[in-house]
Amino acid sequence: MKLGYREEDGARLGALLWEFGPGWRMISSAILGGGIGPREWVLNAQVVAGYARMDPVDHLVSLGPSGGAGVGMMTAASVDRCVRADDGGVQAYATVGLRVPTWAAAPEGHADPELAPMRVGTINIVVVLPVAMTDAALVNTVMTVTEAKTQALVETGFAGTGTASDAVCVAVPAEGEEELFGGPRSEWGARVARAVHAAVRRGAEAWRPRHSK
């Protein structure tokens, strides 16, 4: 993982870049490179809180490497405060911003008043596993990531399951014997859950003192 900075919109903004190269498969909810397929890099780019550009995909492409397909996510959180946690070969990275936590099942018509016109991810999570997975197991792993994130937020006292625009990316080798399961009681799913929980909890605990005044 590399951390870099740029000047944009009158602010000094960071970006995290994971360069995997060929031989990796990813599942992501990101606006750039989302879905399931071969990917070679992951970018988690910080943008200003009032981000209003209407070309976020092109923006991310301009910030990422020039070669190969990749995943690009945005966040208003400070990416230089990224938290990493490891468990049994699983690596989890989380950038945590909780200015506007929200419950997933909000009343119809409910709007988070502080969200910018372009809703950029506030809690972004990247998970790297050393084992290949079926498509179904990848989907199952995203569920586990989300459940572990929510557990961490509830435990740290935030009134929400996340923010309205969180993003996730799970990276696994493209070759090898495929794991069939990614749920929290499976071998690798349990490791994912513990790593994500630890990273998000630490990020949430660190976020509150800086922003609760």
Side-chain angles (χ1 to χ4, degrees):
M1 180 185 71
K2 298 177 182 178
L3 172 62
Y5 292 93
R6 72 190 188 281
E7 295 292 329
E8 187 175 280
D9 295 328
R12 185 171 184 260
L13 303 171
L16 298 173
L17 177 64
W18 290 260
E19 295 182 282
F20 292 88
W24 287 82
R25 215 161 68 95
M26 302 183 191
I27 181 172
S28 180
S29 63
I31 56 174
L32 172 64
I36 300 177
R39 306 285 186 267
E40 296 187 15
W41 50 267
V42 179
L43 177 73
N44 187 12
Q46 182 184 355
V47 296
V48 294
Y51 187 82
R53 289 181 57 158
M54 301 308 294
D55 62 342
V57 173
D58 290 340
H59 189 191
L60 285 166
V61 169
S62 73
L63 297 176
S66 57
V71 170
M73 302 181 285
M74 291 180 169
T75 180
S78 299
V79 297
D80 53 7
R81 297 193 177 100
C82 180
V83 180
R84 172 179 170 172
D86 297 67
D87 193 294
V90 172
Q91 302 169 16
Y93 303 83
T95 52
V96 179
L98 285 160
R99 186 166 59 95
V100 193
T102 189
W103 297 107
E108 184 177 0
H110 173 79
D112 292 305
E114 296 184 74
L115 285 175
M118 183 58 64
R119 299 184 174 187
V120 294
T122 309
I123 302 177
N124 286 346
I125 300 171
V126 176
V127 179
V128 185
L129 291 91
V131 293
M133 287 186 152
T134 64
D135 285 357
L138 285 172
V139 174
N140 205 178
T141 301
V142 170
M143 293 171 58
T144 297
V145 169
T146 305
E147 290 169 1
K149 174 195 71 175
T150 300
Q151 179 182 340
L153 296 183
V154 171
E155 290 176 355
T156 48
F158 286 94
T161 51
T163 79
S165 50
D166 295 347
V168 61
C169 178
V170 176
V172 300
E175 300 295 333
E177 184 177 354
E178 294 183 325
E179 295 291 322
L180 301 178
F181 305 104
R185 295 288 73 84
S186 67
E187 178 182 4
W188 288 101
R191 295 170 181 175
V192 167
R194 290 191 295 265
V196 170
H197 174 265
V200 174
R201 178 156 183 162
R202 282 164 47 200
E205 289 171 343
W207 190 92
R208 189 186 294 278
R210 296 195 302 270
H211 298 270
S212 60
K213 296 180 181 180

